[in-house]
Amino acid sequence: MKQAAHLALRGTAGAISLLISAGAAQAAGFALPYQGASSIGNSLAGSAALGEDATTVYFNPAGMSRLQTRQVSIAGHYVDPSFKYTDTGSTGPAAFTGGNAGDFASNTFLPTLFAVLPAGAWRFGLGISAPFGNKTDYDAGWRGRFQADFTEVKFINVNPSVSYQFADWISVGAGLNYIRAEADIERSTLLAPTVEGRVRLTGEDSTFSYNFGVLINPTPATRVGLSYRSRIDFDLSGRQRVTQASGAEVASATFDVRADLALPATTALSVVHEVNNRWALLGDVTFYQWSVIQQLVPRNASTGVASAPLNLRFRDTVRVAAAVNYRINEAWLLRGGLAWDQAPVASAEDRTANQPDSDRTWVSLGARWDVSAAHRLDFAYAYVMLAASSINHTVTNAGTLRGDYDNSAHILAAQYTFSW
């Protein structure tokens, strides 16, 4: 079954180029919140309770019951990050120096596709998106290259879903997820006390997870959504390759590897309250179980002997968001939102150059244009500010990296929804 699903996914991914990462993902950890412009405009507030378009397949499949026609939503998200590092006194490895890292997060375009088909009290949906991803690419010769130089993790998620409306006030939904992961990590390494080489680790795997949700209308003006996405476990298989400065391979340190990687379960509680026919208030609390990620330990696939681990030591986190929507007229709706997104990195000692995360504050604006009953456009902008952070991270044989990070990002999103 996994092989058949993998072949189908490869065809889909080739068609829409969706096996993607993001330059320093703009949600805590390496979660990607880019599932549609309609949610970005609200800083994701109320996403599990809105059910206003097909993107609810991801946020809460129970929300599909609110859609009365067949619907397809296609969205694109342009992320423009500014991530900069300034060294403040790194040490080791002996005899090696280096500069600052430049802007090590690249611009990224992230597409999504969602569809919903009504059938009586049932709804059937499909989502194709990337729920996680990250990429950091430091300047050549930077001071921390023995800890991290290039890191990229890419994911694609195919999410068929179903919902059922038991009564006007309650719906439930569930989905199956097929997730493909690819990882590529590269850094410098010591081949001898004064000899620098390179080590590259690659791995990939595919697996399944599940999600479910419930949507309740306690009053005609209020909706409450509860959504859960399960933990995802990968058994990555790939290769460790060590090379000299000349590019020649070090045969004794080059071999096939395996590594376990877990992604967190998430639980979201959302509320939407329509104050009147113009104003709506939205709120959201999402819990991430990031503590499932402590280390990434590559092991020789033949002997089981471990290579140097990547210590992340993540903690569980919470994300809170609030938003307001204002309907100008039948054609136009305005959105505005704020969010605080806690980072899974607890201290400067735990912060890594692979994932230089810190708490994030979102400020967003958006607009929805109902062109006609069949055609709808959404636009959104978000500014993400990361709290000023420092790193004081020690790795055996790679020294101690000490410095400051100054990080932020701009997000532009557009979405087209077709109903028929």
Side-chain angles (χ1 to χ4, degrees):
M1 182 178 182
K2 181 182 286 190
Q3 183 179 10
H6 173 60
L7 291 174
L9 176 58
R10 281 296 192 186
T12 305
I16 62 176
S17 300
L18 203 60
L19 186 60
I20 48 179
S21 64
Q26 294 317 309
F30 42 92
L32 295 182
Y34 317 112
Q35 305 298 322
S38 54
S39 57
I40 296 295
N42 287 326
S43 293
L44 277 66
S47 296
L50 268 175
E52 69 172 332
D53 57 44
T55 61
T56 192
V57 168
Y58 179 83
F59 293 110
N60 184 355
M64 294 190 296
S65 295
R66 290 182 48 79
L67 305 181
Q68 302 305 312
T69 63
R70 291 168 289 185
Q71 193 173 101
V72 173
S73 291
I74 301 172
H77 314 76
Y78 178 74
V79 185
D80 179 17
S82 174
F83 277 51
K84 296 181 179 179
Y85 168 84
T86 302
D87 197 79
T88 59
S90 298
T91 60
F96 292 97
T97 60
N100 293 324
D103 197 340
F104 57 88
S106 57
N107 297 349
T108 308
F109 179 76
L110 306 169
T112 61
L113 171 65
F114 297 95
V116 173
L117 174 66
W122 294 89
R123 300 290 186 274
F124 300 93
L126 177 67
I128 305 176
S129 65
F132 298 92
N134 190 56
K135 181 179 179 180
T136 55
D137 189 4
Y138 291 89
D139 286 352
W142 86 287
R143 191 66 179 86
R145 64 190 181 277
F146 286 87
Q147 293 195 15
D149 208 349
F150 176 82
T151 303
E152 184 174 32
V153 285
K154 302 188 291 185
F155 300 88
I156 180 172
N157 185 55
V158 178
N159 186 189
S161 302
V162 62
S163 73
Y164 185 78
Q165 186 172 19
F166 287 96
D168 290 342
W169 61 276
I170 184 169
S171 301
V172 298
L176 177 69
N177 297 266
Y178 172 79
I179 312 102
R180 173 75 178 168
E182 296 182 3
D184 190 347
I185 301 172
E186 189 171 351
R187 60 178 175 81
S188 291
T189 188
L190 287 178
L191 301 180
T194 59
V195 179
E196 181 176 349
R198 301 287 290 176
V199 58
R200 182 183 183 190
L201 291 162
T202 58
E204 59 182 25
D205 188 31
S206 303
T207 191
F208 292 93
S209 68
Y210 63 91
N211 65 293
F212 61 83
V214 60
L215 183 64
I216 299 173
N217 293 62
T219 73
T222 305
R223 299 191 297 278
V224 179
L226 180 65
S227 179
Y228 176 81
R229 301 190 72 89
S230 72
R231 167 176 166 161
I232 308 168
D233 289 292
F234 294 99
D235 178 12
L236 300 173
S237 59
R239 192 158 180 83
Q240 173 179 294
R241 185 171 185 263
V242 177
T243 55
Q244 301 174 19
S246 65
E249 189 174 275
V250 180
S252 61
T254 299
F255 44 77
D256 291 339
V257 294
R258 304 190 71 137
D260 294 329
L261 172 65
L263 297 179
T266 60
T267 304
L269 177 64
S270 297
V271 178
V272 175
H273 177 67
E274 297 174 358
V275 179
N276 51 43
N277 62 355
R278 290 191 180 274
W279 293 95
L281 303 177
L282 305 87
D284 190 276
V285 180
T286 302
F287 300 93
Y288 291 86
Q289 293 178 285
W290 284 111
S291 60
V292 299
I293 301 178
Q294 295 298 305
Q295 288 184 317
L296 181 65
V297 184
R299 298 182 181 276
N300 187 304
S302 299
T303 66
V305 175
S307 298
L310 172 58
N311 293 308
L312 293 168
R313 293 190 286 269
F314 279 3
R315 61 179 176 177
D316 294 340
T317 64
V318 63
R319 185 185 195 276
V320 293
V324 59
N325 289 348
Y326 178 71
R327 179 165 286 284
I328 300 175
N329 51 42
E330 291 186 358
W332 285 95
L333 175 77
L334 301 181
R335 312 179 194 271
L338 297 170
W340 177 74
D341 200 357
Q342 184 182 25
V345 178
S347 68
E349 288 72 25
D350 291 331
R351 185 166 289 110
T352 70
N354 306 85
Q355 184 64 33
D357 204 4
S358 61
D359 296 345
R360 301 156 190 252
T361 301
W362 282 54
V363 180
S364 65
L365 296 170
R368 172 178 138 184
W369 178 24
D370 292 300
V371 182
S372 67
H375 305 281
R376 179 191 305 168
L377 294 173
D378 281 274
F379 308 95
Y381 166 78
Y383 179 60
V384 183
M385 299 168 285
L386 281 78
S389 62
S390 59
I391 186 171
N392 186 23
H393 189 69
T394 301
V395 176
T396 302
N397 296 324
T400 297
L401 184 62
R402 295 188 183 95
D404 296 323
Y405 282 98
D406 180 14
N407 304 332
S408 63
H410 300 274
I411 303 167
L412 293 172
Q415 177 181 324
Y416 170 65
T417 300
F418 177 58
S419 305
W420 74 101

